[in-house]
Amino acid sequence: MSETKPPGCIDDLDRRLDLILRGLERADGADAELIKDVLHKKEHPDIFWGVAPTGRPHIGYLVPFVKIAELVEAGVKVKVLLADLYAFLVNYRHSRSLVTSRREYYRFALSAVFEAITGLPVSTIEFHQETSFSASSNFINDAYELLSFTSLGEARSPNEELASTTMLSPLMVPIVQALDERYMDCDFQLGGLDQSGYYVYGDKYLPKIGHEKRHAHIMNKMLPGLTGTKMSASNPKSKIDLLDPPDIVCQKITEARCGLTSANDNPILALLKIILVPISRLRLEQSTRLGSDTKVASPFIGPNAPDGCVFSTLSGNGEWCHYKSYEAIERDFLDGGLPANTLKASVAKAMNQILAPIRQSYEANNQWQEVLKVAYPESERDVSNTSPVTQNASEKFCIPAVLHEVSNDQVKLIPFNSALHTPDFMKGVQDCPEVWMHGPVGPFESVESFDTDFIDTVVRPKTDMLLYAVIDRCKPPTAADKDGALAGLIAYLGTSPTNLCTEIGFVVTLPQFQRTHVTSNAVGLLLKLALDLPDEGGLGFRRVQWMTSSVNHPSIKTAEKMGFTKEGVIRWDRLYPGGADTGKKSNGKPLHVDGKVSHLNESNLGRDSVMFSMCWDDWHLGGMKEHVGKRMARQ
């Protein structure tokens, strides 16, 4: 019998370096040389991976832990940093005590993930918390020094979330993350590709405060969501929760995108490439190292699979197909030899094999169960409940107190939720492309494109926009809402609590609800909320504007009927790039005037905008509050 070695006892330096670097999204030559140099000097170099305890962990967290498992196999000492200060600063609406509970939830969940992937006890790695050193005088003084070097633009530069924030605390997180590197003082740092901007910031400014040692940074791939967008805790359709029951996992994978045109936008192939095949390969390597007499977690292969097989699929007629690489699976699928339903069923089975011990750990751990109730009280479900987790698309709105239902006996406005509202909305507009004729977005080809190109791109990042679903309470309950039928969209835009102003826009009433009570009541509810005084339940704003295309006659007529005052026409206010090809309607003005040619081509359409407003004096002194009430009362 050959001698077996525990993890970390691999003598071959090239083999150890391969385990550290394989499958990464990026590790440049300088980082690779730093790692190789450390491996020559230290038997057990150390690395840390930082994670902010914000939304509930999902299967995207398996990605860094695949790399962590390989690092442990390579003899690297792994430290997991629970970045609780970072989480508080970036998610400033949540209390410190809530973040503390979420930190403990992450500790339980990620411990179970590590054990499920590696089969090793969680004591093999170390957990640290950011607040154990962030309150020290040295950390605070270093933060002050970095503040003195950092421009506002540099604080915003690491990612899009910081670029759009209106709050100060998120702009502190590049400083905090840079100091994490200094105070963890490990040889390497692991992160996702989305962390690259933070590493650039740290490499530039840490030397300015006396931190001369440059750490190597390695970055893992990012797992796309099941809908093709980023996998996100705030988008339930994009993710699989670590505690989702087996039938929900199967359902989500069955409904996931799985196109034949390209592997790059196929989330099922991504699950295989980034998670399942690397885990299966690692388990085969562990089995070889430990010998046949030692029990290790099983790779995702079927019976009688040949040596070197990393994944097997089982067709509906009971036939096994075995693959020795991810590339072979991808090639077979794209060539049509591997049906999508067979691929999805095999992936779902493998994912449930990974998640089963995590669910078992949760069910056996009363402390974990209790902390879940405290850490995620507002939108999370009990894990035995199979209904989808939901979260509204405007969670970053600058006035959190407004993120609630606004209603009367005819119409209800509820913050738009993709999981609940997108399918019914897209069904309502699928044969009506004209609803997008006068606006800057649309038309959308599918539920997925609406969520990706509008909700995730336009709505979710904005702090000044609150998108509502409009529910007609005069209709019977539906799957979208227990109080009635989905009738359209409406939003606050450009909201400024400082200037006490907002705009009503994205008013889309589904065709079957037009020329009814719906639009007047939806607009009236938002006017009341904005212009009523705080002691009347309103915001006490001073101005609400309505801006529409000069050729959008129904919108102009609605503004006039509701009592808005026309302030004028803003000429050539908007551009619809490619609008002629997407059914947009222009201002009708020529692009060629007296022989002079505009820089626009014929497909880029121009729009004039008509500006209307209703102000606090119109509302309280000019009779508009009563006028709007009468318009809303009409059937």
Side-chain angles (χ1 to χ4, degrees), residues 592-611:
H592 308 275
V593 181
D594 294 334
K596 295 181 179 179
V597 181
S598 165
H599 69 284
L600 301 179
N601 60 47
E602 296 297 332
S603 66
N604 294 333
L605 303 181
R607 170 183 136 173
D608 295 348
S609 295
V610 186
M611 176 68 77

Side-chain angles (χ1 to χ4, degrees), residues 170-190:
L171 298 180
M172 284 289 295
V173 299
I175 290 172
V176 170
Q177 180 158 331
L179 292 178
D180 287 344
E181 181 173 308
R182 175 169 187 165
Y183 284 82
M184 291 298 291
D185 196 27
C186 292
D187 297 300
F188 325 136
Q189 183 175 355
L190 170 66

Side-chain angles (χ1 to χ4, degrees), residues 77-111:
K77 185 178 180 180
V78 176
K79 301 175 182 179
V80 174
L81 176 66
L82 299 170
D84 43 1
L85 174 61
Y86 181 113
F88 173 67
L89 292 172
V90 81
N91 236 342
Y92 48 85
R93 294 190 182 96
H94 295 146
S95 67
R96 295 294 290 271
S97 62
L98 181 64
V99 172
T100 298
S101 296
R102 292 185 171 186
R103 181 190 69 207
E104 295 312 302
Y105 183 90
Y106 269 60
R107 191 190 303 272
F108 286 125
L110 299 180
S111 296

Side-chain angles (χ1 to χ4, degrees), residues 537-593:
L539 294 172
F541 274 18
R542 293 297 178 258
R543 174 183 173 87
V544 179
Q545 67 185 38
W546 180 288
M547 199 171 179
T548 189
S549 168
S550 61
V551 293
N552 188 352
H553 303 297
S555 180
I556 292 172
K557 188 175 181 180
T558 297
E560 292 171 342
K561 284 183 176 180
M562 295 303 294
F564 282 85
T565 297
K566 181 178 178 180
E567 295 184 341
V569 177
I570 305 172
R571 298 182 298 160
W572 295 100
D573 172 56
R574 301 286 175 91
L575 176 67
Y576 298 144
D581 302 321
T582 56
K584 303 295 182 184
K585 193 169 183 180
S586 74
N587 55 17
K589 297 178 181 178
L591 300 178
H592 308 275
V593 181

